[in-house]
Amino acid sequence: MKKTIVSFLFVFNISYSQSFDPAVFEHLDDFFNDAIFYADKFISPATDAAVYQSSSGWVSSAKVNESWNTTLGLHSNVFFVPNRDREFVLSNSDFTFLKIQDATSATIPTALGNGQQINIVDSYGIINPNYPIETPEGIDEDRIFYPHLSGSLSIGYGTEIIGKFAPKTKIKKGEYQVYGFGIKHSLSQYIKSLQSRKINLAITLTNSIENISFNFLDIQTDFGSLGINRINGNINSWQFQTNVSKEYKNFEFMLGSMVNISDFKYTFSGDKGTAEQSLKIDGIGPQDFFNERLKAINKTKINSIFEVAAMYKWNKVYFQSAIAFNRFLNTNFSVHYKIN
């Protein structure tokens, strides 16, 4: 920290002729910690939700397809935003450098919350004496809709290669995208008693990438903006799932159990800010320095998710409805076309 303060003072004193008490820069580390604390509280509910959004709809059928059968699917997902993840209580006691303007505590939205905003200022009037920090707005939606495409190719021996891709979806104050691939293998092909009763059992391993981003803090200071006005959550999820289904005439009813391990990494993106050239901290600009500090909230989480689904087959067209649930609730309706 001492090196940070010295380099900060050196560049700052070259760029500005105003005289400041050097003691105030001893609180810079507290300022960075406060900003990272708030970033975690704001975006974590949304990245947790993104895992559920990407987990559902991987398997359309647990049965064995003939070699080189190819299927394409169009999916419509609706994620229901729970009330508990829309807001959190922020108190001045949570901060060491910043404070809520004209209050000791406030209920403010996460990225999944509403558009309510409050002002935050620094306790010493140094970082932003003339520019209060306005907290970011949430998406202010009860349900999040997003589409994605899927495809599967049977390569024989009861094995299929599957994939999904969602175009970048605009949501209020943010964006979302997911894509990935996987492999599914039939276990019921080895169990004649299941085959005779038209019961299918399959296991699937998938890997997906979820990217989600939101507007964040537009911090204006006397030496320029700091370049943390947008925050990204980048998630890499490995998922193992087991599906069992029962065929009845043109219907297939399916149950699924999923366990995924997700690595969460966060970065500030967008405009680097007007302070980028005039302010250097340990030789790098504010945004890059914040991103180094933001690594402190990177994490790995394990989720257990359940899914129920029903499919109706009409010639080469299949209609499926699925619900994934546990901590969150995500619905998926899809139309599949079997090419061959």
Side-chain angles (χ1 to χ4, degrees), residues 21-85:
D21 181 359
V24 301
F25 296 106
E26 296 176 4
H27 301 287
L28 281 177
D29 204 46
D30 294 332
F31 168 60
F32 297 132
N33 289 338
D34 287 352
I36 301 309
F37 167 82
Y38 182 77
D40 191 16
K41 289 289 187 180
F42 176 76
I43 198 172
S44 286
T47 50
D48 288 344
V51 172
Y52 268 70
Q53 291 175 297
S54 69
S55 297
S56 182
W58 277 101
V59 176
S60 58
S61 172
K63 66 180 296 184
V64 176
N65 285 314
E66 296 180 1
S67 297
W68 311 118
N69 276 172
T70 304
T71 302
L72 298 178
L74 175 62
H75 298 250
S76 171
N77 292 271
V78 178
F79 175 81
F80 292 87
V81 181
N83 289 330
R84 67 176 181 273
D85 290 288

Side-chain angles (χ1 to χ4, degrees), residues 4-304:
T4 298
I5 296 170
V6 170
S7 58
F8 182 95
L9 283 171
F10 178 76
V11 175
F12 193 86
N13 287 335
I14 290 176
S15 303
Y16 294 91
S17 60
Q18 293 173 276
S19 178
F20 291 92
D21 181 359
V24 301
F25 296 106
E26 296 176 4
H27 301 287
L28 281 177
D29 204 46
D30 294 332
F31 168 60
F32 297 132
N33 289 338
D34 287 352
I36 301 309
F37 167 82
Y38 182 77
D40 191 16
K41 289 289 187 180
F42 176 76
I43 198 172
S44 286
T47 50
D48 288 344
V51 172
Y52 268 70
Q53 291 175 297
S54 69
S55 297
S56 182
W58 277 101
V59 176
S60 58
S61 172
K63 66 180 296 184
V64 176
N65 285 314
E66 296 180 1
S67 297
W68 311 118
N69 276 172
T70 304
T71 302
L72 298 178
L74 175 62
H75 298 250
S76 171
N77 292 271
V78 178
F79 175 81
F80 292 87
V81 181
N83 289 330
R84 67 176 181 273
D85 290 288
R86 299 185 188 191
E87 60 186 25
F88 68 100
V89 176
L90 181 68
S91 301
N92 285 339
S93 59
D94 295 322
F95 290 142
T96 52
F97 184 84
L98 300 172
K99 68 177 181 180
I100 302 167
Q101 190 175 50
D102 302 323
T104 57
S105 66
T107 299
I108 57 177
T110 68
L112 296 178
N114 59 31
Q116 179 184 350
Q117 294 178 285
I118 64 169
N119 286 337
I120 296 175
V121 296
D122 72 80
S123 302
Y124 302 91
I126 299 301
I127 296 296
N128 60 331
N130 303 310
Y131 315 99
I133 304 168
E134 196 171 46
T135 57
E137 299 177 73
I139 60 174
D140 199 17
E141 298 282 353
D142 294 328
R143 295 172 294 276
I144 301 174
F145 167 81
Y146 70 101
H148 79 259
L149 302 172
S150 70
S152 66
L153 173 65
S154 177
I155 58 175
Y157 306 101
T159 302
E160 291 181 34
I161 302 298
I162 55 180
K164 78 163 53 174
F165 172 79
K168 188 172 290 186
T169 302
K170 295 271 187 185
I171 51 180
K172 189 181 296 185
K173 309 300 179 183
E175 293 178 337
Y176 174 75
Q177 184 177 32
V178 60
Y179 52 91
F181 68 95
I183 185 168
K184 185 188 79 173
H185 185 71
S186 169
L187 297 181
S188 53
Q189 64 180 323
Y190 308 115
I191 308 173
K192 292 184 178 180
S193 60
L194 293 181
Q195 295 179 50
S196 63
R197 289 183 287 174
K198 291 191 174 182
I199 295 176
N200 308 295
L201 179 64
I203 56 174
T204 305
L205 178 66
T206 61
N207 176 245
S208 62
I209 305 296
E210 303 97 49
N211 296 316
I212 189 167
S213 64
F214 295 95
N215 293 341
F216 195 54
L217 298 176
D218 184 14
I219 300 182
Q220 300 293 330
T221 73
D222 281 344
F223 44 87
S225 57
L226 298 185
I228 60 172
N229 60 315
R230 195 158 187 87
I231 187 169
N232 289 57
N234 305 293
I235 310 149
N236 188 330
S237 296
W238 285 95
Q239 178 167 291
F240 177 81
Q241 67 185 83
T242 304
N243 291 87
V244 59
S245 71
K246 168 67 177 176
E247 295 178 78
Y248 178 74
K249 296 183 178 180
N250 289 338
F251 289 91
E252 183 178 355
F253 301 95
M254 185 166 61
L255 297 175
S257 176
M258 300 171 267
V259 176
N260 59 50
I261 300 176
S262 302
D263 291 322
F264 298 79
K265 295 182 179 180
Y266 302 95
T267 57
F268 291 117
S269 61
D271 185 358
K272 286 197 170 185
T274 56
E276 183 69 19
Q277 298 303 318
S278 61
L279 175 61
K280 298 293 183 181
I281 307 171
D282 281 353
I284 60 177
Q287 187 184 90
D288 291 335
F289 187 81
F290 268 108
N291 280 333
E292 284 296 315
R293 300 297 293 266
L294 199 58
K295 291 179 181 179
I297 66 171
N298 290 349
K299 56 186 75 87
T300 298
K301 292 184 179 181
I302 299 175
N303 286 284
S304 177

